[in-house]
Amino acid sequence: MLRSTERAVIPSNGASRMGISNKKDRIFGGAVIVDSLMKYFNELATLLDQEQAFDKAQHEALLLQRSVQERIALGMTWLPIAITNSELGRGDYLTITVNKTNHPEEGHQFRFGMPVSLFSNHNPQQDRLHGVIAFASRDTMRISLRVDELPAWSRGGRLGVDLLFDENSYKEMHRALDEASLALTDKKQGNLIRQLLGETDVRESPPNPAYENDSLNASQNKAIAHILGENPLSILHGPPGTGKTTTLIYAVQALLKQRPQQLLIVAPSNTAVDVLTERLDAVGVSVVRIGNPVKVSDHLQELTLDARVDNHASHKTIKTLEKQARAYLDMAHKYKRNFGKAERDQRKALFDEARKIRKEIDQMLDYIVQDVLAKAQVITATLVGANHYTIRDRRYQTVIIDEAAQALEPACWIPILKADRVVLAGDHCQLPPTVKSSHQTTGGLYHTLFEKLVARHPIHVSLLDVQYRMNAQIMKYPSLAFYADHLQAAPTVAHWTLRGDDSPILFIDTAGGGFEETVVDHAISNEEEARFLRNHLASFVTSLNMPLTDPAFPSIGIITPYRAQSLYLRELIAQDDRLQPYTKQLQVNTIDSFQGQEKDVIYISLTRSNAKQEIGFLADTRRMNVAMTRARKKLIVIGDSSTMGHHDFYGGFLDYIDSLAKHRSVWESHNV
């Protein structure tokens, strides 16, 4: 018998958790409704202020307290860099192109639109020039600077670029909250906000049109039919492996076929936007990506607005004008500091002529940008990118927000305010959004708009209930714990296992083994558990008895909730001669880093083992939902039942394991 566990159902009082007035308040009329929602948006703004202050303090402390080498390792500094080009850019900004000269293959955190600081290593405190990233790839960056020419210090010594705190994202979120408050008194736009937040009921809609596609299952077809209806809101709830992205792609195709329109599709992360952009292009949808992709892909770069503008037929004229402007600038820069009035006037005249040409270029660029955007069926961007200056004033019949359950609510209002109707896709039973200012994962900014709308409008929620990833035994407990046992495994995966294996799921109990956790500077690890996992893994890959070249050789992921444990596991595995041949098949990381991935085999090191039964943020069981559902054919969980079993979710998991007779002890020698 399973213990009671957390379910996917949000408490029925979700609307009251939103800070929204109840039905009793509504009898006093529209004024009470508007006042209540204004208070709601003010409370969101206060939470956002707290997050911004905390985030900024953390970022500035990091820049001040970390060495340059540490900042480089964190992907927050490029040093040294080489300036390979400079030109007068849009709006009289000087645009420079810089390249990393060391370790170009290493990742970094620099993204389009973020503020940066160019500095000299001779005097990094004073020799600084701030700018904004106009383009960023793996090893190249274009930076817009509000100066006519680079300072003298940029021509000597080693130069670097620091990533500054991103005020712009917070400004856009605050602007959206302000606009939402003001829109409450607007009959048309305010009506959508009131409908979404539950102050007025979502209007009755005609029956959804029929939609049948043999490539999709019944729940996917039903979800698309709802999206094609006249509902102002559709919620696509996609548990792990249920084909949420595939369903969205078919839904977009169906919407475009239903009526001519332009769609805006957004997501909180650049990676999610990249995936959608590539998938839409692959099925023949005309898509324009706003901003720079994170993925290093030439084809994806070609789908960006910048690339589409560069490839436009009218862009040749701009190239000619840019050469003329550069010629005037080159002549102006030949004048040195010591010259007379005539030289000064001539220099000014040359700059003025360059600016005049630049204005012509800007006008042509505006025309080309609008032409490119007008011909696009779909525009894709991040949530904040939906307010990029090129698309800020556009409105859309339908806005789709993917991964909405991982998005901060203030960011969601940026695209929603541009919509007549909205589609939200995601899964609130997986990882929540990243909130730096609070560790309380049940309220504040952790409580997403997706969750609130699922609670308020259950009839507009479409649950995808067939998963195509996991063996049915691996799927069963997450389905029971999070999805009210509604998930079913597709026949193609329900019984798949590793070759010769009859145990798709296994729990190895460290209780009584003396595997105590250690805590150093708030970093939690469990060295004995890590060493046991390393040895078990070595025995496991040997027992597979197949060469690495065999197509059936499984991919393997090792997941742990704690960064210190993942670092120690990586070190152990890297030093083990038995595992050296298999390093390309092994990936070790934290749960948060594994969302969106899947492996044939998943090991989970729960890490926690203490006499007080303290499990920390593992009490937010959404993390374990992510971890368990990464496995396709085999899941091996290692942990201390005496520490974890007191929590309902983990106790229920142990009961499920016992029902399958798959509970093993570290003392058992035949533990593979």
Side-chain angles (χ1 to χ4, degrees):
M1 187 74 177
L2 287 171
R3 294 186 177 97
S4 62
T5 56
E6 297 181 9
R7 301 294 186 218
V9 179
I10 305 292
S12 59
N13 66 340
S16 65
R17 288 176 63 193
M18 294 163 64
I20 296 172
S21 62
N22 58 33
K23 289 183 179 179
K24 185 177 179 181
D25 290 328
R26 295 179 198 164
I27 63 174
F28 295 102
V32 170
I33 293 174
V34 170
D35 287 347
S36 174
L37 289 179
M38 282 186 172
K39 180 182 177 183
Y40 173 72
F41 285 117
N42 285 338
E43 289 172 351
L44 275 178
T46 299
L47 290 170
L48 190 61
D49 280 334
Q50 294 169 1
E51 180 72 2
Q52 182 175 356
F54 186 90
D55 194 7
K56 186 174 184 178
Q58 269 197 326
H59 187 97
E60 291 180 348
L62 194 152
L63 279 179
L64 290 171
Q65 296 171 12
R66 298 292 184 103
S67 69
V68 170
Q69 291 306 316
E70 287 176 315
R71 299 202 308 271
I72 291 172
L74 290 168
M76 296 181 62
T77 295
W78 283 9
L79 179 76
I81 55 109
I83 298 177
T84 58
N85 189 34
S86 66
E87 59 187 0
L88 190 63
R90 187 180 183 90
D92 290 345
Y93 280 68
L94 179 68
T95 300
I96 63 171
T97 302
V98 305
N99 288 88
K100 292 172 77 173
T101 57
N102 282 348
H103 310 294
E105 73 285 350
E106 292 182 356
H108 59 80
Q109 299 183 46
F110 293 84
R111 299 287 180 264
F112 169 80
M114 288 184 170
V116 292
S117 179
L118 179 71
F119 67 89
S120 165
N121 70 324
H122 283 324
N123 191 349
Q125 299 304 315
Q126 292 186 10
D127 292 347
R128 281 189 174 269
L129 187 61
H130 293 346
V132 175
I133 299 173
F135 172 85
S137 65
R138 184 168 55 188
D139 59 359
T140 302
M141 201 180 338
R142 287 204 306 271
I143 305 170
S144 293
L145 307 160
R146 185 164 281 188
V147 292
D148 287 332
E149 55 186 327
L150 289 170
W153 55 257
S154 68
R155 293 184 283 275
R158 292 203 310 170
L159 299 179
V161 180
D162 275 334
L163 182 64
L164 301 180
F165 178 66
D166 186 9
E167 298 271 8
N168 182 63
S169 294
Y170 286 100
K171 285 179 181 177
E172 294 291 1
M173 286 189 277
H174 275 297
R175 183 183 286 117
L177 296 178
D178 290 342
E179 288 179 3
S181 292
L182 291 173
L184 291 170
T185 55
D186 179 85
K187 187 173 182 180
K188 183 178 180 181
Q189 195 172 18
N191 185 51
L192 177 62
I193 298 171
R194 288 190 292 272
Q195 286 180 315
L196 293 180
L197 295 182
E199 291 293 352
T200 58
D201 293 331
V202 171
R203 65 175 181 263
E204 291 287 335
S205 299
N208 297 324
Y211 181 85
E212 290 293 333
N213 188 316
D214 292 341
S215 301
L216 303 174
N217 62 54
S219 66
Q220 291 172 317
N221 281 317
K222 184 178 178 183
I224 294 174
H226 190 280
I227 291 170
L228 292 174
E230 297 182 18
N231 317 287
L233 170 68
S234 290
I235 300 173
L236 182 63
H237 184 188
T242 54
K244 172 178 63 66
T245 302
T246 296
T247 306
L248 276 181
I249 299 303
Y250 277 104
V252 168
Q253 291 177 285
L255 282 167
L256 295 173
K257 185 177 180 180
Q258 182 187 55
R259 66 175 73 92
Q261 60 178 303
Q262 185 175 79
L263 305 177
L264 174 65
I265 304 181
V266 292
S269 72
N270 277 289
T271 301
V273 177
D274 289 349
V275 169
L276 289 165
T277 303
E278 281 196 312
R279 292 282 298 271
L280 287 166
D281 177 69
V283 296
V285 173
S286 173
V287 56
V288 173
R289 164 76 153 96
I290 303 297
N292 304 137
V294 172
K295 289 179 65 178
V296 181
S297 160
D298 289 341
H299 181 63
L300 192 53
Q301 295 289 344
E302 291 170 3
L303 302 177
T304 64
L305 179 60
D306 286 348
R308 293 288 177 98
V309 168
D310 287 345
N311 294 327
H312 193 276
S314 299
H315 198 262
K316 291 180 181 178
T317 305
I318 289 178
K319 288 290 186 185
T320 302
L321 290 171
E322 284 177 338
K323 286 181 181 178
Q324 293 175 14
R326 178 178 291 280
Y328 283 115
L329 287 173
D330 288 344
M331 285 189 284
H333 288 149
K334 288 178 182 178
Y335 289 95
K336 306 301 180 184
R337 291 184 180 182
N338 298 318
F339 49 81
K341 182 179 183 301
E343 288 84 2
R344 187 177 295 108
D345 289 344
Q346 180 66 16
R347 189 173 192 264
K348 181 179 182 299
L350 290 168
F351 273 126
D352 288 344
E353 194 61 34
R355 290 192 183 99
K356 182 180 176 182
I357 295 173
R358 185 65 234 182
K359 286 181 181 178
E360 288 184 57
I361 293 171
D362 288 349
Q363 289 172 358
M364 286 209 67
L365 277 174
D366 288 340
Y367 160 74
I368 294 173
V369 165
Q370 294 309 313
D371 189 51
V372 168
L373 292 175
K375 292 174 181 175
Q377 293 175 296
V378 173
I379 294 173
T380 61
T382 60
L383 293 166
V384 173
N387 251 5
H388 186 262
Y389 75 92
T390 56
I391 58 171
R392 181 184 294 276
D393 298 324
R394 284 180 172 261
R395 285 197 60 82
Y396 310 86
Q397 277 189 318
T398 304
V399 166
I400 298 174
I401 304 177
D402 193 18
E403 303 296 354
Q406 287 187 271
L408 293 177
E409 179 174 349
C412 289
W413 287 105
I414 298 172
I416 289 174
L417 292 173
K418 304 174 186 299
D420 294 330
R421 56 191 301 269
V422 293
V423 178
L424 275 71
D427 181 14
H428 52 295
C429 302
Q430 296 189 62
L431 291 178
T434 299
V435 179
K436 299 176 182 178
S437 59
S438 173
H439 298 295
Q440 302 298 319
T441 59
T442 56
L445 292 177
Y446 277 113
H447 192 206
T448 63
L449 183 63
F450 186 91
E451 282 184 275
K452 296 171 184 178
L453 297 184
V454 166
R456 180 67 182 115
H457 305 291
I459 63 169
H460 295 290
V461 178
S462 300
L463 175 70
L464 303 183
D465 58 15
V466 180
Q467 64 84 19
Y468 299 87
R469 177 184 298 166
M470 295 162 275
N471 179 289
Q473 285 189 20
I474 298 171
M475 174 205 73
K476 185 64 175 178
Y477 187 67
S479 178
L480 284 166
F482 295 100
Y483 307 107
D485 202 20
H486 287 317
L487 291 190
Q488 52 186 303
T492 51
V493 304
H495 304 292
W496 69 356
T497 60
L498 300 177
R499 184 188 296 169
D501 183 38
D502 62 356
S503 298
I505 190 167
L506 187 68
F507 178 76
I508 302 176
D509 196 349
T510 66
F515 292 8
E516 290 287 320
E517 67 186 58
T518 56
V519 184
V520 179
D521 294 331
H522 305 291
I524 298 173
S525 61
N526 190 321
E527 294 184 1
E528 288 297 327
E529 183 173 294
R531 282 193 283 269
F532 174 82
L533 189 154
R534 183 261 324 262
N535 292 333
H536 190 281
L537 175 62
S539 298
F540 171 72
V541 292
T542 302
S543 72
L544 291 171
N545 197 27
M546 65 176 75
L548 282 166
T549 54
D550 192 321
F553 197 95
S555 57
I556 302 172
I558 300 98
I559 305 179
T560 176
Y562 295 97
R563 186 169 181 271
Q565 184 77 342
S566 72
L567 293 174
Y568 186 62
L569 279 163
R570 284 183 198 171
E571 183 182 332
L572 283 178
I573 290 170
Q575 294 172 353
D576 195 306
D577 292 339
R578 297 170 296 176
L579 294 172
Q580 287 305 304
Y582 307 101
T583 51
K584 289 186 178 179
Q585 273 66 37
L586 302 175
Q587 183 180 350
V588 185
N589 223 321
T590 59
I591 295 173
D592 294 43
S593 299
F594 253 98
Q595 175 140 321
Q597 299 185 59
E598 56 188 71
K599 300 289 182 183
D600 294 320
V601 181
I602 288 290
Y603 276 85
I604 301 176
S605 170
L606 293 176
T607 307
R608 302 308 300 260
S609 179
N610 58 76
K612 296 180 180 179
Q613 287 88 43
E614 292 177 348
I615 63 172
F617 66 72
L618 281 182
D620 182 358
T621 55
R622 290 174 291 187
R623 278 192 164 80
M624 286 311 298
N625 184 32
V626 172
M628 291 178 175
T629 56
R630 300 310 93 194
R632 288 194 285 251
K633 299 179 180 179
K634 191 174 185 71
L635 173 65
I636 303 169
V637 183
I638 302 172
D640 185 339
S641 63
S642 66
T643 298
M644 307 299 300
H646 291 267
H647 188 281
D648 281 346
F649 172 83
Y650 297 98
F653 175 66
L654 292 173
D655 286 342
Y656 173 64
I657 288 292
D658 288 341
S659 73
L660 298 174
K662 298 300 179 183
H663 193 144
R664 301 288 183 268
S665 166
V666 291
W667 303 109
E668 297 181 58
S669 57
H670 53 287
N671 50 23
V672 176

